[in-house]
Amino acid sequence: MSRCTTLEHHNNAHRVGEMATGMGFFQKLFSPPSARAELLEELAVIAGHNQGLVDRLKRHATLAGVSIKPGVEALAKAEAAHVKTLNSILSDHNVWAKLPEVALHDGSNNWARLSGDLAVLAALASDLRLNAMKWESVDEGVVGKLRQLAMEDDNHESELRRLAMMCDAMALD
């Protein structure tokens, strides 16, 4: 090799070494343990929101009319199973769900209450789908569980929408 080629090779090797060192820094910064911790924190918030939805649905089932009460109770039970699944994922990593937020206003009638529940459920399903995507590079087992919950929530949305449509939007309880 000529001196010029050797010097060029040395400079390229040095740059590659700098990149590798820089990449090592970023790998440590975004390492699976820190990524996992961040994702678990997000999942803990989602679990808290899911528990809040269960609490809302249970409360709203007691106020619901005879025609929609069994459906609202069934949705509350199904969502409680989701909370159990989320808590299982979290407990496997020694993390606990965040406390659910209490709704400031539930609504003055069944339609308003169920419409509010529907908005919470739609946001929850979206959060589960997004969180599942983030878990893809960390844990495929968690991804499968989150996707399943999101798909079930899509079905729950349809059922809750159907129940809300059975209510008179203008009726006061």
Side-chain angles (χ1 to χ4, degrees):
M1 264 194 227
S2 71
R3 177 169 163 73
C4 187
T5 308
T6 305
L7 184 59
E8 188 177 315
H9 176 73
H10 174 74
N11 286 341
N12 286 339
H14 181 70
R15 273 188 243 131
V16 169
E18 283 178 347
M19 277 196 324
T21 303
M23 286 170 42
F25 170 75
F26 286 115
Q27 283 176 328
K28 287 179 184 174
L29 185 63
F30 298 112
S31 66
S34 67
R36 185 180 302 267
E38 220 174 275
L39 292 172
L40 287 166
E41 180 68 24
E42 288 178 27
L43 200 55
V45 170
I46 292 170
H49 289 160
N50 207 153
Q51 182 61 55
L53 176 62
V54 170
D55 296 344
R56 285 175 61 106
L57 288 169
K58 285 180 178 179
R59 192 170 54 250
H60 297 163
T62 64
L63 301 170
V66 178
S67 63
I68 63 170
K69 184 176 182 172
V72 176
E73 288 174 334
L75 286 172
K77 186 176 179 181
E79 287 299 321
H82 286 193
V83 171
K84 187 174 180 179
T85 299
L86 292 171
N87 283 332
S88 171
I89 295 168
L90 292 171
S91 69
D92 288 347
H93 298 91
N94 296 317
V95 176
W96 305 109
K98 299 295 179 194
L99 291 175
E101 295 176 11
V102 179
L104 298 176
H105 179 67
D106 274 342
S108 56
N109 59 32
N110 286 326
W111 181 84
R113 287 187 283 273
L114 294 183
S115 293
D117 296 343
L118 187 57
V120 171
L121 181 56
L124 186 60
S126 176
D127 289 346
L128 284 168
R129 281 189 292 277
L130 181 60
N131 200 259
M133 285 180 6
K134 292 177 181 179
W135 275 92
E136 285 178 351
S137 64
V138 178
D139 189 329
E140 280 298 318
V142 172
V143 171
K145 290 176 184 177
L146 296 178
R147 283 186 179 153
Q148 181 64 37
L149 295 179
M151 285 186 337
E152 290 173 9
D153 276 349
D154 289 340
N155 294 332
H156 296 169
E157 276 186 80
S158 295
E159 177 61 15
L160 191 53
R161 188 173 292 107
R162 185 186 71 76
L163 292 169
M165 289 175 61
M166 293 171 62
C167 301
D168 183 355
M170 303 306 282
L172 294 175
D173 289 344

